């Protein structure tokens, strides 16, 4: 997958002018501020902010990352790309994982990418100064939040400098209170009389009396651009008389009406040669200037010579690099020049600029000029063509907000009438979660794309859009239908679109069909994804394939996929790639299944560290969940519950997917601890029932509910529910889950007194688990099953011996007491728990907000079901049956 080239001039530190006025007082102020987190230089245009920074940075002995912001940086993805590019000018390793994450079709929470960037800066740069120039160009709240997050999490080694026409929307009051911000304002930047005198003499080549300098400084209030205008006026006047006089200086600023703008045109521009004036006007539409771009816009072959002459004459032009390849006009100067261009000229110039940028594949700049041309002419053909050319690349690289802005610049009727533009607008709407409107545009595009053979690729993208709309509506049959048709239309030379289609197809297949279908699809996606060179997306596919293989009960094959992935992604010097945290965690889970707890812990710890380093929220949640499983297996119940609580809190913050498996694991632990009340309350809140349809994403929840039914002696319900889970698991080839279902079926039969059925179900579980060394499925269930294992040893002798050894089980241990035949209801379990807690009948009534008569009725039912006659006997029997903690 290729990306648009970056405009490198945005990353270049402007060189200092050789004849600039030294400003030691300000340089000292800036140096003293390096001990703080932030320096803010805020003043209106024309006060020398960028010139001061160029002087300061030229003498600073530390790594410098520079980023000149423009309107395009209001897209947070583009901002992050340029931000990373600026620090990669120091070291190419900084932020590589951030760029990988931005290239994934599963877009990360952008705020989370600041952490890995900060970590890289901390690890690579002992000191770094990051400059964000022209910060006023950014108005996006999302980008402001990213900047604030970077500032808040900045290590001591990072100092940020923000230069802006206005106060930046950063937490300045808090930073001031902490003494962490250094500020320079308009009053600081004004030239003093001494500096003004040096400016006239050194920079402008004028020799004026102190009286004249004082007058000009007072009239301009130290505004540097005003002083430059005055100097140019004096020089223009003197060119006619060949003599520089104070009178010329006084004359220059006489009359309020000619203070700045009128004066600029009448006394400066009009005195330039016509060729120079024309060049200035024609190039004023450009944010940045190079000889080739200026030649394309003006037709002048001597553009480089003219640019250098303008710099020599101090005509408000600044070099952007050390080789004089790129320049920019002073912003105020460019604004004034543009006001003198008529509509016809502006239209012609914008069109030429857009076509040059389009040829260079600098699409954001091409779109900007094409939009300006369209706004004047009403002709959107160029704009539409450029957007079509740039859309795929922009969308697939995460520029959703950029695309949204581009499409918004087009008339609504054009979006609705052009099938390609309607399709791309539909994609923007899907990715911003406006499904109804996305479907409307998809239909508009479909109505205009009737010939699939002629419109192959366009039709394929539209079908895939339909698939993603169906995914948003949880219509998985629709996803399969559209994604499959899209794959028939999208050629092999479009790997990114094919991988997206394959990934969507696999997601839907997992939810609706046998897992083997998803495995085949993911294997194809894995091969196709290898052509993209996108590490993050390849890791996502590897993790999805591992998960599917694990669910299918193919532990050994899943291990092979993980190991192959880790070998491929291992970085230079043998260190693991930052984004492989999820693969390490899967390695941990697969070793956990074999009861290899030491290896499992090592892999999960590595996964946790890597996920934390790149702020990978979803994978970090998975790692915490697996840590909890290991901790519980080690007997660290409190630690396991704490890890699960952390994981659930994180899942609520950073993932869109369901995290029901975490709660299911938590309440399974409560059941193992005998806390029936907690598990029963959870089931009641979730409105769990044996009549619900099993679902792929909720299977861990289904298993925990089965355990609750068994523990609460609701054995007929448990039997019926597990029969449904068994059919579902077999139909979908969920063999890992089928192992657990058979074990729970064995426990249900055992507690019902049906030993033969119990042995049969347990043997089925063993035959599936043994070839894959899946041990924990047995160790994590009720220990009663170990009374049955010696009786079915012939099913897999070595494996059963391994299970018994791992459990430390005594084959002659007497079986647990048979459960009661009439189980307690959820309300009766609550009353029983309160009885065990020592509450009186009245206190129980108050606690449950029921009448005391109702309490007595529940207690009588409990006595009858348990076969007891007193509170003491009821508590003893309930403890024996694990009905209460």
């Amino acid at each position: 997958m290729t990306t648009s080239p970056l405009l490198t001039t945005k990353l270049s530190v402007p060189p200092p002018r050789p004849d600039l006025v030294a400003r030691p007082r300000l340089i000292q102020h800036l140096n003293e501020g390096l001990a703080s987190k932030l320096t803010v230089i805020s003043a209106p245009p024309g006060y020398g902010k960028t010139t001061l920074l160029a002087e300061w940075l030229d003498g600073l002995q530390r790594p410098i990352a520079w980023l000149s912001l423009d309107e395009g940086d209001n897209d947070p993805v583009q901002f992050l790309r340029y931000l990373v590019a600026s620090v990669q000018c120091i070291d190419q390793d900084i932020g590589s994982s951030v760029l990988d994450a931005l290239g994934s079709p599963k877009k990360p929470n952008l705020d989370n990418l600041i952490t890995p960037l900060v970590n890289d800066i901390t690890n690579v740069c002992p000191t770094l100064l990051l400059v964000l120039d022209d910060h006023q160009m950014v108005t996006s709240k999302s980008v402001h939040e990213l900047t604030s997050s970077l500032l808040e999490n900045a290590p001591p080694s990072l100092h940020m400098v923000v230069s802006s026409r206005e106060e930046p929307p950063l937490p300045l009051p808090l930073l001031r209170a902490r003494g962490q911000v250094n500020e320079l304002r308009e009053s600081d930047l004004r030239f003093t009389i001494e500096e003004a005198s040096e400016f006239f003499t050194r920079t402008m080549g004028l020799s004026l009396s102190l009286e004249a300098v004082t007058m000009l400084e007072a009239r301009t209030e130290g505004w540097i651009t005003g002083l430059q205008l005055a100097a140019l006026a004096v020089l223009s006047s003197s060119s006619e008389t060949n003599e520089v006089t104070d009178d010329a200086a006084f004359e220059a600023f006489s009359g309020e009406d000619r203070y700045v703008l009128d004066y600029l045109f009448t006394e400066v521009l009009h005195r330039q040669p016509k060729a120079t004036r024309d060049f200035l006007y024609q190039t004023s539409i450009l944010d940045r200037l190079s000889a080739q771009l200026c030649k394309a816009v003006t037709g002048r072959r001597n553009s480089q010579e003219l640019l250098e002459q303008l710099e020599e004459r101090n005509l408000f032009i600044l070099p952007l690099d050390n080789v004089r390849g790129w320049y920019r006009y002073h912003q105020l100067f460019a604004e004034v020049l543009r006001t003198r261009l008529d509509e016809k000229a502006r239209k012609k110039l914008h069109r030429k600029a857009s076509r040059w940028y389009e040829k260079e594949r600098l699409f954001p700049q091409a779109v900007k000029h094409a939009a300006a041309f369209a706004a004047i002419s009403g002709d959107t053909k160029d704009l539409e063509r450029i957007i079509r050319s740039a859309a795929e690349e922009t969308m697939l690289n995460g520029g959703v907000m950029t695309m949204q802005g581009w499409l918004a610049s087009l008339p609504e009727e054009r979006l609705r009438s052009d099938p390609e533009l309607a399709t791309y607008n539909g994609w923007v709407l899907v990715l911003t979660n406006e499904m109804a409107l996305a479907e409307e545009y998809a239909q508009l595009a479909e109505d205009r794309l009737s010939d699939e053979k002629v419109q192959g690729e366009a039709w394929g993208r539209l079908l895939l859009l339909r698939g993603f709309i169906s995914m948003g509506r949880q219509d998985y049959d629709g996803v399969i239908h559209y994604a499959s048709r899209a794959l028939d239309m999208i050629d092999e030379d479009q790997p990114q679109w094919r991988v997206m289609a394959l990934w969507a197809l696999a997601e839907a297949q997992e939810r609706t069909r046998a897992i083997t279908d998803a495995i085949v699809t993911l294997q194809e996606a894995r091969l196709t994804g290898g052509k993209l060179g996108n590490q993050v997306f390849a890791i996502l596919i590897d993790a999805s394939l591992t998960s599917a293989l694990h669910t299918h009960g193919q532990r050994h094959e899943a291990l092979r996929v993980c190991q192959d992935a880790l070998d491929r992604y291992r970085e230079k010097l043998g260190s693991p790639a930052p984004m492989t945290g999820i693969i390490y965690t899967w390695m941990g889970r697969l070793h956990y299944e074999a009861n290899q707890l030491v290896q499992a812990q090592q892999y999960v710890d590595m996964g946790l560290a890597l996920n934390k380093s790149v702020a990978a929220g979803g994978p970090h949640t998975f790692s915490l969940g697996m840590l909890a499983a290991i901790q519980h297996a080690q007997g660290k119940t409190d630690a396991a519950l704490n890890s699960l609580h952390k994981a659930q809190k994180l899942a609520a913050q950073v993932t869109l997917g369901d995290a029901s498996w975490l709660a299911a694991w938590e309440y399974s632990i409560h059941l193992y601890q005998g806390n029936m009340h907690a598990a029963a309350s959870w089931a009641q809140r979730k409105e769990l029932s044996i009549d619900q349809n099993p679902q792929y994403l909720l299977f861990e929840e289904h298993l925990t509910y089965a355990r609750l039914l068994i523990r609460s002696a609701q054995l007929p319900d448990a039997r019926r529910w597990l029969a449904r889970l068994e059919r579902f698991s077999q139909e979908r080839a969920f063999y890992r889950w089928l192992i657990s279902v058979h074990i729970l079926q064995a426990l249900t039969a055992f507690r019902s007194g049906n030993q033969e059925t119990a042995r049969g179900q347990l043997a089925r579980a063993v035959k599936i688990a043994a070839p894959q060394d899946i041990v924990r499925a047995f160790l994590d269930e009720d220990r009663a099953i170990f009374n049955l294992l010696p009786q079915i040893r012939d099913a897999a002798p070595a494996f059963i011996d391994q299970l018994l050894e791992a459990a430390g089980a005594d084959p002659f241990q007497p079986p647990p007491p048979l459960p009661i035949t009439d189980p307690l209801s959820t309300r009766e379990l609550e009353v029983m728990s309160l009885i065990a807690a020592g509450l009186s009948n009245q206190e129980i009534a108050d606690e449950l907000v029921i009448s005391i008569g109702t309490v007595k009725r529940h207690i009588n039912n409990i006595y009858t079901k348990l076969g007891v006659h007193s509170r003491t006997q009821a508590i003893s029997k309930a403890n024996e049956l694990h009905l209460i903690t």
Side-chain angles (χ1 to χ4, degrees):
M1 179 63 199
T2 60
T3 59
S4 296
L6 297 178
L7 198 59
T8 55
T9 53
K10 285 165 60 70
L11 312 175
S12 300
V13 181
R17 292 181 61 91
D19 54 358
L20 61 80
V21 176
R23 311 197 75 182
R25 62 184 178 90
L26 299 183
I27 299 298
Q28 180 180 355
H29 187 85
L30 290 169
N31 286 333
E32 291 171 352
L34 287 172
S36 61
K37 272 192 170 187
L38 173 69
T39 290
V40 173
I41 305 176
S42 176
Y47 279 89
K49 299 183 292 294
T50 302
T51 303
L52 173 64
L53 282 173
E55 178 191 359
W56 178 45
L57 299 178
D58 187 56
L60 206 58
Q61 300 301 312
R62 66 166 61 193
I64 299 160
W66 176 280
L67 174 56
S68 292
L69 298 169
D70 56 35
E71 292 174 349
D73 296 307
N74 282 294
D75 184 330
V77 172
Q78 174 167 313
F79 171 75
L80 282 174
R81 288 190 189 281
Y82 271 105
L83 181 64
V84 170
S86 70
V87 293
Q88 284 190 339
C89 293
I90 309 302
D91 191 301
Q92 280 295 315
D93 290 335
I94 301 176
S96 57
S97 62
V98 176
L99 295 181
D100 285 339
L102 291 174
S104 168
K106 255 192 171 181
K107 296 304 173 190
N109 184 325
L110 296 180
D111 291 338
N112 292 338
L113 297 182
I114 293 299
T115 298
L117 180 59
V118 167
N119 290 340
D120 286 353
I121 292 171
T122 303
N123 295 332
V124 174
C125 295
T127 58
L128 175 64
L129 192 142
L130 171 63
V131 182
L132 301 180
D133 194 29
D134 286 335
H135 195 272
Q136 76 282 346
M137 301 299 291
V138 173
T139 58
S140 164
K141 181 180 178 183
S142 298
V143 175
H144 290 159
E145 289 173 350
L146 288 171
T147 307
S148 296
S149 178
L150 176 61
L151 183 61
E152 179 181 352
N153 295 285
S157 60
L158 174 62
H159 182 81
M160 189 185 302
V161 179
V162 172
S163 175
S164 177
R165 288 187 179 186
E166 54 199 33
E167 183 163 301
L170 299 172
L172 296 182
L174 179 62
L175 292 170
R176 289 177 186 131
R178 294 175 176 175
Q180 293 180 336
V181 61
N182 181 40
E183 298 179 77
L184 283 173
R185 302 289 175 176
E186 176 183 336
S187 58
D188 302 304
L189 294 171
R190 290 172 178 162
F191 270 174
T192 63
I193 292 175
E194 291 77 13
E195 288 170 334
S197 180
E198 183 180 355
F199 172 75
F200 285 127
T201 304
R202 179 181 174 85
T203 305
M204 304 304 299
L206 288 173
S207 178
L208 298 176
S209 69
L210 180 59
E211 181 183 8
V213 172
T214 302
M215 181 277 297
L216 291 174
E217 192 278 334
R219 291 294 303 275
T220 60
E221 296 183 337
W223 182 36
I224 300 171
T225 295
L227 291 168
Q228 188 173 357
L229 290 170
L232 288 169
V234 173
L235 288 169
S236 297
S237 176
S238 302
S239 65
E240 299 176 357
T241 63
N242 295 318
E243 184 179 359
V244 176
T245 66
D246 284 357
D247 289 341
F250 283 102
E251 176 67 18
F253 267 66
S254 62
E256 295 297 328
D257 292 339
R258 300 170 63 204
Y259 180 65
V260 177
L261 299 184
D262 287 345
Y263 180 80
L264 175 62
F265 286 108
T266 58
E267 299 297 332
V268 178
L269 284 173
H270 288 179
R271 294 180 183 272
Q272 301 301 319
K274 183 179 185 302
T276 301
R277 288 203 310 272
D278 290 344
F279 183 81
L280 288 168
Y281 289 136
Q282 291 169 337
T283 56
S284 65
I285 66 158
L286 303 173
D287 294 330
R288 292 173 177 82
L289 313 164
S290 73
Q292 290 302 313
L293 175 56
C294 291
K295 177 184 175 183
V297 170
T298 68
R300 296 176 182 274
R301 297 181 179 276
N302 63 337
S303 292
Q304 182 65 41
E305 180 183 347
L306 287 170
L307 289 170
E308 292 176 2
Q309 287 176 2
L310 292 174
E311 182 186 4
E312 290 172 3
R313 296 175 191 172
N314 286 306
L315 276 178
F316 302 100
I317 189 170
L318 302 172
L320 295 177
D321 53 41
N322 286 310
V323 295
R324 269 44 179 185
W326 285 87
Y327 296 81
R328 74 170 174 87
Y329 291 130
H330 187 289
Q331 291 172 2
L332 180 61
F333 185 55
E335 290 167 9
V336 172
L337 289 170
R338 286 194 289 269
T339 64
R340 293 301 179 96
L341 280 173
D342 61 34
E343 192 173 86
K344 181 179 179 181
R346 284 189 287 116
K347 181 176 68 172
K348 181 180 179 182
L349 295 167
H350 280 300
R351 181 171 231 179
K352 289 182 177 181
S354 72
R355 291 184 172 179
W356 185 86
Y357 276 120
E358 181 185 11
K359 182 181 177 183
E360 297 295 319
R361 295 186 61 78
L362 293 166
F363 291 125
Q365 293 77 20
V367 170
K368 178 179 178 180
H369 287 288
F373 170 80
I376 299 169
S377 66
D379 181 355
T380 62
K381 292 186 182 66
D382 279 6
L383 179 58
E384 291 174 29
R385 185 191 68 255
I386 295 170
I387 290 176
R388 288 192 205 95
S389 299
E392 178 175 329
E393 185 176 290
T394 303
M395 291 286 297
L396 295 178
N397 282 298
V400 177
M401 290 183 66
T402 294
M403 273 297 298
Q404 190 174 39
W406 290 355
L407 294 170
S409 67
L410 291 171
E412 181 70 16
E413 61 269 18
R414 290 303 303 151
L415 287 180
R416 290 176 168 271
S417 61
D418 185 288
E420 270 198 278
L421 294 175
T423 299
Y424 283 120
N425 201 41
W427 275 108
V428 168
L429 292 164
V430 161
L431 297 172
T432 54
N433 204 31
E434 296 185 57
M435 294 299 173
L437 197 53
E439 194 158 13
E440 180 181 336
Y441 273 92
Q443 187 61 54
L444 288 168
E446 187 170 334
D447 292 342
R448 290 159 177 78
L449 280 175
S450 57
D451 190 341
E452 296 187 17
K453 293 181 180 178
V454 174
Q455 300 287 355
E457 290 183 9
W459 191 263
R461 289 193 293 270
L462 174 58
L463 290 169
L464 185 54
L465 168 63
R466 285 285 199 186
F468 271 73
I469 292 172
S470 298
M471 182 77 76
R473 298 189 182 284
Q474 298 184 343
D475 172 14
Y476 300 118
D477 288 335
V479 177
I480 292 172
H481 170 74
Y482 287 117
S484 299
R485 290 182 63 196
L487 286 166
D488 291 338
M489 305 300 299
I490 300 172
D491 292 338
E492 296 291 337
D493 61 357
Q494 296 284 313
Q496 182 81 356
W497 290 108
R498 288 191 63 82
V499 169
M500 288 176 64
L502 289 165
W503 174 75
L505 178 60
E507 289 278 305
Q509 288 170 330
E510 286 181 336
R511 291 156 172 78
T512 59
R513 299 185 177 184
I515 196 70
T516 47
D517 289 354
I519 289 171
V520 171
T521 301
L522 289 167
Q523 287 171 335
E524 183 181 351
R526 193 172 183 232
L527 291 174
T528 305
K531 304 173 185 177
L532 298 176
N534 185 312
Q535 186 184 88
V536 171
F537 191 65
I539 289 171
L540 171 66
I541 295 296
D542 284 326
S544 296
L545 178 57
T546 299
S547 175
L549 288 167
H550 168 259
T551 301
H552 190 42
Q554 298 297 308
R555 175 180 166 273
H556 293 316
E557 179 63 14
L559 271 172
R560 187 193 66 76
V561 169
C562 280
Q563 189 59 62
D564 179 60
L566 292 181
D567 291 343
R568 278 187 286 120
Y569 303 135
R570 191 170 296 278
E571 291 187 337
K572 59 185 178 180
L573 303 179
S575 61
M579 300 304 294
T580 54
I582 190 170
I583 304 296
Y584 275 94
T585 302
W586 264 112
M587 286 288 282
R589 177 163 190 169
L590 296 170
H591 281 283
Y592 173 86
E593 290 282 14
N595 199 38
Q596 298 164 352
L597 298 184
V598 174
Q599 296 97 315
Q601 180 82 60
Q602 291 172 343
Y603 279 114
V604 170
D605 285 346
M606 178 65 79
L608 282 165
L610 290 171
N611 291 332
K612 186 176 181 181
S613 74
V614 295
H620 201 58
T621 297
F622 178 44
S623 297
L624 285 169
M626 274 315 304
L627 176 64
I630 295 169
Q631 290 168 329
H632 183 237
Q634 294 169 338
K636 303 172 184 177
T637 303
D638 290 342
L641 290 172
N642 184 51
S643 294
L644 285 171
H645 292 159
K646 288 181 180 177
Q648 290 177 76
K649 183 177 180 181
L650 180 60
Q653 294 173 353
V654 300
T655 64
L656 298 176
D658 184 78
S660 63
W661 64 278
L662 294 166
W665 285 14
E666 176 188 351
Y667 287 101
S668 284
I669 291 177
H670 286 307
L671 282 173
Y672 299 146
Q673 295 300 109
N675 189 348
M676 294 286 296
H677 177 69
S681 297
W682 164 75
Q684 190 174 34
R685 289 194 305 273
K686 297 285 291 185
E687 299 181 348
L688 300 182
S689 163
I690 64 169
D691 296 323
Q692 66 187 109
N693 292 321
Q695 295 181 45
Y696 167 76
L697 290 178
L698 299 178
F699 210 94
E700 293 291 351
E701 185 176 285
H702 298 334
L703 291 174
T704 300
Y705 181 49
R707 295 181 187 110
L708 172 62
L709 293 172
I710 296 169
R711 286 295 184 103
S712 59
Q714 300 179 60
L715 300 179
D717 284 349
R719 193 158 37 249
R720 287 194 294 273
W721 178 234
L722 286 165
R724 297 190 71 181
L725 297 184
E726 179 186 10
R727 286 194 298 273
F728 184 72
S729 300
Q730 288 176 334
E731 290 169 358
R732 301 290 182 83
F734 296 157
Y735 296 136
R736 170 57 187 87
W737 283 329
L738 186 59
I739 295 170
S740 296
V741 169
H742 284 321
I743 294 171
L744 292 173
Q745 287 175 316
L747 284 168
T748 303
F750 178 75
R751 289 188 177 279
S752 300
N754 191 335
Q755 302 296 304
E756 183 177 353
T757 299
R759 288 192 293 271
Q761 294 287 13
L762 194 58
R764 292 186 183 94
V766 166
K767 287 177 181 178
I768 300 172
Q772 298 293 328
D773 297 314
I774 299 175
V775 175
R776 288 306 312 183
F778 299 85
L779 298 178
D780 289 339
E781 297 296 349
D782 194 307
R783 308 294 266 195
I785 62 168
F786 291 96
N787 295 315
L788 297 172
L789 283 173
Q791 301 173 41
I792 61 164
R793 187 174 180 276
D794 290 345
F799 182 71
I800 289 178
D801 289 346
Q802 179 186 357
L803 288 176
L804 292 171
E805 182 180 359
D810 181 358
F812 302 104
Q813 177 184 353
L818 292 176
I820 55 178
T821 57
D822 188 6
L824 302 186
S825 67
T826 300
R827 178 63 87 183
E828 289 164 353
L829 285 169
E830 292 176 332
V831 172
M832 187 66 246
S833 296
L834 296 175
I835 290 173
L839 273 66
S840 67
N841 289 357
Q842 185 61 59
E843 289 170 333
I844 293 173
D846 294 340
E847 175 72 19
L848 300 179
V849 196
I850 57 178
S851 69
I852 194 168
T854 302
V855 173
K856 290 179 179 179
R857 186 164 62 253
H858 285 315
I859 292 176
N860 287 334
N861 290 340
I862 291 170
Y863 286 178
T864 300
K865 291 179 178 181
L866 295 181
V868 299
H869 304 286
S870 68
R871 280 180 169 242
T872 302
Q873 291 175 347
I875 293 170
S876 176
K877 185 71 171 181
N879 280 323
E880 183 182 1
L881 294 171
H882 305 293
L883 298 180
I884 56 175
T885 56

